[in-house]
Structures are given as structure tokens and as C-alpha cells.
Amino acid sequence: MPVRTPYRPLRGISAVVALLAIGSAGCSDVSDAVDSAKDGAKKVARQRSVFSLDIGDCYNPNGKAEGTAYAVEIVPCDEAHEGQVVGELAIDDGKAYPGDDAISTIADNRCPVEAQKYAPDTWALPQGVALFYYTPTKDSWATGDRAVSCTYTVEKGTFSGSLDTAKSLKPEQATYLKGANAVYEALWANQPEKENVEDDLAGYKALAKAVAAALDTHVEGLNGIKGTEVGKLRSTLTKAAGHWNRAANAADPDAFYIAYDPAFTGIDPNKSTAARRELGLATTVPAEDAEVWAAS
């Protein structure tokens, strides 16, 4: 079962090898060797096949974050770890293996949705965490494997604690996050392949239409949330929705550009920090998002 970030199979690792030659070592060396052996035994006992991962499992990969994995070390979430399973989806695509690219496309499209159900506030994720996934291989597909495990994993360092925040959210927090996530999902999921509006006006208008619709829904959700800063954000996003609607109905590229500039800046994540603070949500704009709007 490969991943967008896994590891090599474990075969016959034994903790007892660490105990070899202890008899000829000093007391300090013996103590260190015993501790090492205990750690090794614990790690071996915690090994689990990637085919049996469950949502909520916290784990350490047995190697780098890219490649093919057969087993990982499952650890308690309050211990330092490198990843957590935050979603799972089944691929029902007939009997024939659809191919690596097809499966990756499915995971690319669906894992972000599953992950947001588990950890809706992406701003609150530990630094360095990124979305990865374990997918079936051609061989595992032949044995009936149809599951994709979506994970948040760090390529360097570790983090502690579970990322499961959905259950602890207040209704107004959940409403805000659902609307906000949908807006940015619409923005990134509908990006045309052509870089220039002149080369694909219809594609860019479709993008604008999708964002405008998501904004309208988000603003409607904010209508039911009290708060001065939330009210200010609602007003800002209402104006932004108007610009996105004008971009969606642009008669030509020039008209699109005129509407797009205030539309894009209108949903700058920095404009939502005060409302987020008022709602008790994370207020640090993710580095990647901050970079995008800083360059605009």
C-alpha cells in the first residue's frame, strides 16, 4: 500500500539483538543497552500494518515520508509522533486496478474533504503538518484492498496531541469554519489550467461563479452568528461576493480583471483574523496562504 509519503516494510526486527555483548560492557553501557532494548521492544510491539490503520491513529513511519509502506509504529497521541490518520475513504472503481494516477487523483480530491471533517480549523494545525495518504497498490488491489488512509504528517520533527477538533467545536465555530473552508476550497479546486484569462475566459468565469456561490453560503451562515468582528467580516465578504459575481459575468478579459482584483483581495485570510479571535479560533494565517496574498 503506497503512500504519498510512506515507508519500507519491516521484516523480522528483533529487540534481542540489542542485548548482544552486554556481558562484556560496563554498568553504564549495560544500562544504556537495556534501555535501548526496551525502546526497541516497545517499537516492535507497536508495529501495525498500514492496511489496518484507523481514523484517529497516531503513528511514526518507519522511514521517510515518501515511498512505499507496509507497517508503521502506532503510538499514543499524547506522545510525540509524526502523523495521524484523519480520514478514510473507499474506492469503488470496478474490478480492474485503475492505476496509480487515477487513485492519486481520487485521494487528492477527497482527502482534503475528509481531513476537514476531522480537523476543521486548518489554521490550528501544528507547524509543518501536511496532508499525505496511503493508497492501494496493484498487488494489494488484487487482494481486495480499496481503502485510502488520509493523514496529516510532518516530514521533519514531531507534534503531540490529537488533531481531532471537530467534536469540541461550538456551533458558531463549526458554522464559520464550514463556510470559510468551502470558500477556499472553491477557489483552489476550480483553478483553470491556463495561466492567462485571455486563454480561458470561460474557465475563469466558472471559477468566479463557484467562489461567489460559496461566499453567498458563507455569508448566510454568518448571519446567525453574533459579534462585532463577525459582523464586520460579514460586510467585507458580502462586498467580495459582489466582485466575484461581476467577474463571473464579465463580458471580456478586461472586465474580468477589473472585478477580480478586489474580489481576490476581499477574501484575504488576514481580513478574518479579528472575527476568528472573537469566535475563539486560531488566528495565525498559515504560511502558504499568507505568502499567496502577500504576493497579490
Side-chain angles (χ1 to χ4, degrees), residues 187-240:
L187 176 65
W188 302 126
N190 292 281
Q191 290 288 317
E193 293 185 6
K194 302 291 185 180
E195 291 187 9
N196 298 316
V197 177
E198 291 84 355
D199 296 327
D200 187 8
L201 178 59
Y204 279 91
K205 289 173 65 174
L207 161 67
K209 183 178 180 180
V211 176
L215 272 171
D216 287 341
T217 301
H218 187 24
V219 169
E220 184 178 349
L222 294 179
N223 284 331
I225 301 176
K226 297 180 180 179
T228 302
E229 297 302 333
V230 171
K232 291 179 181 178
L233 178 62
R234 183 169 58 243
S235 177
T236 296
L237 296 180
T238 298
K239 293 178 181 178

Side-chain angles (χ1 to χ4, degrees), residues 252-268:
D252 53 53
D254 287 343
F256 182 90
Y257 283 122
I258 292 172
Y260 181 80
D261 186 50
F264 189 74
T265 57
I267 60 171
D268 182 340

Side-chain angles (χ1 to χ4, degrees), residues 143-164:
T143 66
D145 178 23
R146 300 291 188 275
V148 173
S149 296
C150 310
T151 79
Y152 272 128
T153 303
V154 289
E155 294 189 76
K156 293 182 179 179
T158 59
F159 63 94
S160 298
S162 174
L163 301 178
D164 183 6

Side-chain angles (χ1 to χ4, degrees), residues 10-262:
L10 270 170
R11 292 197 182 95
I13 293 181
S14 174
V16 298
V17 296
L19 296 174
L20 297 178
I22 282 182
S24 60
C27 292
S28 176
D29 292 336
V30 170
S31 179
D32 290 344
V34 170
D35 288 342
S36 177
K38 288 180 178 178
D39 290 341
K42 181 189 291 185
K43 183 170 184 177
V44 170
R46 289 175 167 180
Q47 294 298 314
R48 184 190 296 176
S49 165
V50 293
F51 300 100
S52 61
L53 286 173
D54 294 322
I55 296 175
D57 283 344
C58 293
Y59 70 92
N60 290 315
N62 296 316
K64 297 180 180 180
E66 300 284 348
T68 299
Y70 294 89
V72 296
E73 178 194 9
I74 299 298
V75 302
C77 290
D78 57 1
E79 291 186 14
H81 53 275
E82 296 176 42
Q84 183 174 12
V85 181
V86 295
E88 189 173 80
L89 53 97
I91 301 176
D92 184 12
D93 203 4
K95 294 183 179 180
Y97 181 65
D100 293 345
D101 291 343
I103 289 182
S104 292
T105 297
I106 292 171
D108 282 339
N109 292 334
R110 294 176 57 187
C111 272
V113 177
E114 296 303 314
Q116 284 185 1
K117 293 178 183 177
Y118 194 82
D121 191 357
T122 55
W123 290 27
L125 293 174
Q127 186 174 6
V129 163
L131 193 58
F132 292 94
Y133 47 75
Y134 292 91
T135 61
T137 64
K138 185 175 182 180
D139 290 338
S140 70
W141 184 274
T143 66
D145 178 23
R146 300 291 188 275
V148 173
S149 296
C150 310
T151 79
Y152 272 128
T153 303
V154 289
E155 294 189 76
K156 293 182 179 179
T158 59
F159 63 94
S160 298
S162 174
L163 301 178
D164 183 6
T165 56
K167 297 175 183 176
S168 63
L169 291 174
K170 298 176 181 177
E172 61 271 22
Q173 293 175 322
T175 296
Y176 170 83
L177 291 171
K178 181 179 180 180
N181 289 340
V183 169
Y184 295 106
E185 176 64 21
L187 176 65
W188 302 126
N190 292 281
Q191 290 288 317
E193 293 185 6
K194 302 291 185 180
E195 291 187 9
N196 298 316
V197 177
E198 291 84 355
D199 296 327
D200 187 8
L201 178 59
Y204 279 91
K205 289 173 65 174
L207 161 67
K209 183 178 180 180
V211 176
L215 272 171
D216 287 341
T217 301
H218 187 24
V219 169
E220 184 178 349
L222 294 179
N223 284 331
I225 301 176
K226 297 180 180 179
T228 302
E229 297 302 333
V230 171
K232 291 179 181 178
L233 178 62
R234 183 169 58 243
S235 177
T236 296
L237 296 180
T238 298
K239 293 178 181 178
H243 292 302
W244 283 103
N245 273 307
R246 281 188 281 278
N249 293 292
D252 53 53
D254 287 343
F256 182 90
Y257 283 122
I258 292 172
Y260 181 80
D261 186 50

